[in-house]
Amino acid sequence: MTPFELAEPKTLKEAVGLLDADDPTVRPIAGGTALMLMMKAGVFRPSKLVSLRAIKELTSIEIVKGELTVGATTPLAVLEHSEAVRMHAPVITRALRTLSNIRVRNVATVGGALAHADPHMDLPPVLIALGARVVVQGRSGARTIPVADLFAGYFETVLAKDELIASLIVPAQDGRRAAYLKCTTRAVHDWPALGVAVSVAADGKAIKNASIVISAATETPMRMSAAEKAASGATDDAALRRAGDAAAAEAELISDGQGSAAYKKELVRVYVARALRAALGAA
Ligand SMILES: Cc1cc2nc3c(=O)[nH]c(=O)nc-3n(C[C@H](O)[C@H](O)[C@H](O)COP(=O)(O)OP(=O)(O)OC[C@H]3O[C@@H](n4cnc5c(N)ncnc54)[C@H](O)[C@@H]3O)c2cc1C
């Protein structure tokens, strides 16, 4: 590794001030689980890292006006064990238990899990299905971005180089039921070939409306609007299968080490229907 400067600001404002809109070698570092791997592999050589670890204002989990608000440097393990999170959106708790291992979850943070923008990651599709948004702090103030609009491409976000994710907000779910399924084609802890997150408003087994998001098989996590339309008003299993067919037809899939695009198309068909069934059966 080449030498670099490490800054350890105590406030969000100070941290934003240390970033540089024009210099991609100046980067924030939170848990460091992704960034350190990139540095060790030599694909990222920073001139300065701005550590977010000493910023106390970014670590709370609270319910504000019925919405779950999570500070960006909250470790994933804290999110996983939070009673407030489990009560508000139990699908987050369930998804986190499948995210890597406890050593990674102890260190990796919510902000890093969103800003890293690897399409194989577990939280983005879940948070998009739940209608979550992030509050982003820049030099001239804060702005709010739906998680659905955060990803610009493969490992790319819409964040400016001098902006930081400050918090995540998950709105009240008002009785919606959600599920997240992923298909790993090799070892269970390997990166998935496909992730599917769904959230449904339903009356018993009859779906009023659904959010359906796929990830890992696509460049960025994506909502499947034709599948959502097909799922809306579904009252039987045949309709759930039709939603799976619609998702398979509309998804723009990539081939990679986890499988070919043709193979993933069949996974989408099966897993979207399966995730809808799981959500209908969820508490
Ligand atoms: C062995 C291993 C297995 C893994 N398995 C999984 C898995 O199964 N599922 C899964 O979803 N993920 C998995 N991951 C990825 C892991 O979730 C990410 O590495 C982690 O979430 C990144 O968080 P971090 O706090 O460590 O980020 P860092 O490594 O510190 O930063 C990552 C990126 O985000 C930026 N960043 C960090 N915080 C902010 C912020 N607040 N605002 C703006 N930019 C910010 C950094 O500049 C950097 O570009 C795995 C990682 C490892 C090392």
Side-chain angles (χ1 to χ4, degrees):
M1 264 195 273
T2 46
F4 58 87
E5 185 192 334
L6 179 67
E8 296 181 277
K10 298 267 187 301
T11 66
L12 180 60
K13 191 169 178 221
E14 205 189 327
V16 169
L18 288 163
L19 296 171
D20 185 334
D22 302 318
D23 186 352
T25 69
V26 177
R27 275 266 191 108
I29 182 167
T33 57
L35 214 53
M36 291 303 289
L37 287 183
M38 290 162 66
M39 289 162 62
K40 283 183 187 165
V43 293
F44 175 57
R45 292 191 175 84
S47 60
K48 179 164 75 179
L49 290 181
V50 177
S51 170
L52 308 181
R53 286 190 186 202
I55 306 176
K56 298 275 181 291
E57 66 199 280
L58 298 183
T59 57
S60 61
I61 299 182
E62 50 191 347
I63 303 290
V64 182
K65 295 184 185 155
E67 300 190 304
L68 176 72
T69 305
V70 181
T73 60
T74 304
L76 298 184
V78 173
L79 199 66
E80 174 189 352
H81 294 292
S82 160
E83 188 60 11
V85 173
R86 197 179 66 78
M87 295 302 288
H88 192 84
V91 68
I92 297 178
T93 312
R94 292 194 295 267
L96 281 166
R97 289 186 189 139
T98 73
L99 189 156
S100 188
N101 58 56
I102 188 62
R103 294 183 301 283
V104 170
R105 299 200 295 273
N106 271 338
V107 182
T109 66
V110 171
L114 289 165
H116 189 45
D118 179 337
H120 298 93
M121 292 169 77
D122 295 300
L123 278 187
V126 173
L127 295 172
I128 293 171
L130 297 177
R133 59 195 193 275
V134 284
V135 177
V136 171
Q137 186 68 44
R139 279 164 204 263
S140 50
R143 62 181 177 132
T144 300
I145 306 174
V147 177
D149 296 340
L150 185 62
F151 305 103
Y154 200 67
F155 284 86
E156 271 180 51
T157 67
V158 299
L159 298 176
K161 300 263 175 300
D162 60 351
E163 283 186 319
L164 285 171
I165 296 176
S167 61
L168 165 73
I169 299 173
V170 183
Q173 294 301 302
D174 298 326
R176 293 182 74 87
R177 292 176 253 168
Y180 173 62
L181 299 181
K182 60 179 167 178
C183 174
T184 51
T185 47
R186 296 181 292 210
V188 70
H189 55 267
D190 193 14
W191 289 114
L194 172 71
V196 179
V198 305
S199 160
V200 298
D203 191 358
K205 297 282 178 194
I207 296 178
K208 292 185 205 155
N209 61 67
S211 288
I212 302 175
V213 185
I214 68 167
S215 61
T218 44
E219 287 230 335
T220 62
M222 295 212 173
R223 271 184 84 162
M224 298 284 98
S225 52
E228 290 176 355
K229 212 167 157 199
S232 162
T235 51
D236 60 12
D237 205 65
L240 304 188
R241 288 199 298 275
R242 281 197 294 279
D245 291 342
E250 74 178 315
E252 288 177 23
L253 303 164
I254 50 173
S255 299
D256 60 15
Q258 270 72 33
S260 66
Y263 169 64
K264 290 177 188 175
K265 194 183 249 310
E266 294 314 309
L267 289 181
V268 170
R269 192 186 308 286
V270 172
Y271 271 78
V272 163
R274 212 177 264 185
L276 287 167
R277 261 176 235 127
L280 286 173

